[in-house]
Amino acid sequence: MKEENVFIRQLKKHPLSFLYRLIKNLVFALFFFCLVLAFMYIVGNYQSFQFESQKLILKTISFSSIALLIFSILILFETGIRFATKGEKIKSLVVMAVMIFNIFFSVVCMSFSNFVYYLSEGF
């Protein structure tokens, strides 16, 4: 009997490309990172964080939201291509719906953080 390589078995079990899985996991990590930062900003208002700390949290929310937006759009397009070419229709539709939600969430977080940051700086 011929033994099959472990890496080949894993590729057969998970046919998605490594880069696709990596970026999809990065999107979920960025989503939770934005949630945690928003929670920290809200708690920081009640716990009297320093002004500079609040500004740093707002800047970080803005930058992570931009990264979330870019990677979500990338995964949305790649999933759309997979939807058109592969047979995994339901799974692709679910991933596309989640990515559309992530795009909406990132735009809301980015807009909110920039709006609050510029209000705190003054005109």
Side-chain angles (χ1 to χ4, degrees):
M1 279 179 99
K2 183 180 173 187
E3 283 192 37
E4 196 172 16
N5 191 351
V6 175
F7 184 69
I8 304 252
R9 272 189 283 155
Q10 287 294 330
L11 283 177
K12 287 181 181 177
K13 187 189 291 184
H14 303 288
L16 299 176
S17 69
F18 175 73
L19 187 60
Y20 178 80
R21 287 185 288 155
L22 180 72
I23 294 175
K24 194 166 73 169
N25 291 336
L26 180 66
V27 164
F28 291 124
L30 283 170
F31 173 75
F32 288 117
F33 185 63
C34 285
L35 278 179
V36 167
L37 285 173
F39 179 73
M40 283 179 58
Y41 179 76
I42 292 168
V43 169
N45 283 331
Y46 292 109
Q47 296 292 326
S48 300
F49 281 6
Q50 291 183 352
F51 181 66
E52 294 298 320
S53 300
Q54 293 287 76
K55 283 178 30 179
L56 179 66
I57 291 172
L58 288 172
K59 284 181 188 178
T60 310
I61 289 174
S62 181
F63 291 135
S64 62
S65 295
I66 291 170
L68 178 63
L69 179 68
I70 291 169
F71 289 128
S72 293
I73 290 173
L74 181 67
I75 290 295
L76 181 67
F77 285 141
E78 188 168 349
T79 306
I81 292 170
R82 286 184 181 277
F83 178 75
T85 58
K86 303 276 182 178
E88 301 173 346
K89 302 289 185 191
I90 295 174
K91 186 177 181 181
S92 296
L93 285 176
V94 169
V95 170
M96 288 172 71
V98 169
M99 291 307 138
I100 290 171
F101 173 76
N102 279 337
I103 290 170
F104 177 73
F105 177 76
S106 67
V107 168
V108 168
C109 281
M110 184 175 31
S111 301
F112 173 76
S113 66
N114 286 335
F115 181 71
V116 172
Y117 182 80
Y118 289 127
L119 280 180
S120 68
E121 286 291 315
F123 292 105

